Amino acid sequence: MTHQRPAALITGASRGIGRASALKLAAHGYDVAINYASSDAAAKEVATAAVTLGARAITVAADVADEQAVRVMFQRIEQEFGRLDAVVNNAGTTVGTPPSDLDGLSMTEWDRVFAVNVRGMFQVTRAAASLLRGSSHASIVNTASIVGLRPGPQPFPYAASKAAVVSLTKQLAGALGPEIRVNAIAPGWMVGEWMEDQLGDNYDRLMERRARLTPLRRCVTAEDVAETVVSLITSNPFVTGEIIVIDGGFSATT
Ligand code: NAP
């Protein structure tokens, strides 16, 4: 059954940027499919919050690196919503091995990061394309990272995977136009668990230092990122193939 409200799939929506984007899209009148890997309870909480905002919401567990699971996810979305107007390709992963430890990085870790961040994004986009083409305003937003645009202290496979996301975004914009716009966001160091895991005991000190060096004097939040995601989807009708940096001006000025 086709619904009147537009529908969006947000991958990696059980927490962080995905959660904030799903709720903001729900508040903007979208029905939402909340994808996640294993956090059932967290995903259900996001769905409940989206329903409170007036959306129809479904939760879909699927590892985006698993092509068959991705296909099954789209069958469910088609069954439930009968349409798709936006995809936020946000699911992402990294490793704990710092770039200083060249020998410590296992190639299995490398492959897993690329399988989720790059191949997963491609698989989701490819599976979404036919449904999206039925929309009069289809839009995809990919989550890259500032480290996909310039060097940083993040692990090698993560940085390289996000550079690949930048490339994929431009390539897909060319392949999927004129029906589907494809853009990416590149957040800087974001307040929250991801950077806590990466920076460990140095989290408070390094985030404060980063904030001091940022023209807008703080680090980005998931809410800031979601604001840009939703604006790329709901407006900017002639913008495609672009990478929008969301870091309060840090990378533009340092
Ligand atoms: P987060 O809080 O760690 O959440 C990650 C989300 O992705 C969770 O919903 C997780 O689901 C899901 N996920 C992980 N692997 C998956 C897989 N294989 N298939 C499906 N879902 C999967 O992440 P975040 O900090 O919001 O970051 C989200 C995105 O922004 C990532 O692509 C990240 O690279 C990018 N980013 C983050 C920062 C930052 O500082 N945090 C900066 C720049 C870019 P489960 O809960 O079920 O595991």
Side-chain angles (χ1 to χ4, degrees), residues 72 112 116 139-140 174 177 185 208 241 253-254:
V72 171
R112 178 64 187 163
V116 174
S139 176
I140 296 174
I185 47 157
E208 273 165 29
T253 54
T254 57

Side-chain angles (χ1 to χ4, degrees), residues 2-7 77-78 81-85 131 135 137:
T2 305
H3 290 263
Q4 295 293 321
R5 288 167 61 100
I77 290 169
E78 188 160 13
F81 296 147
R83 64 185 287 171
L84 191 64
D85 303 271
L131 260 183
S135 168
H137 50 274

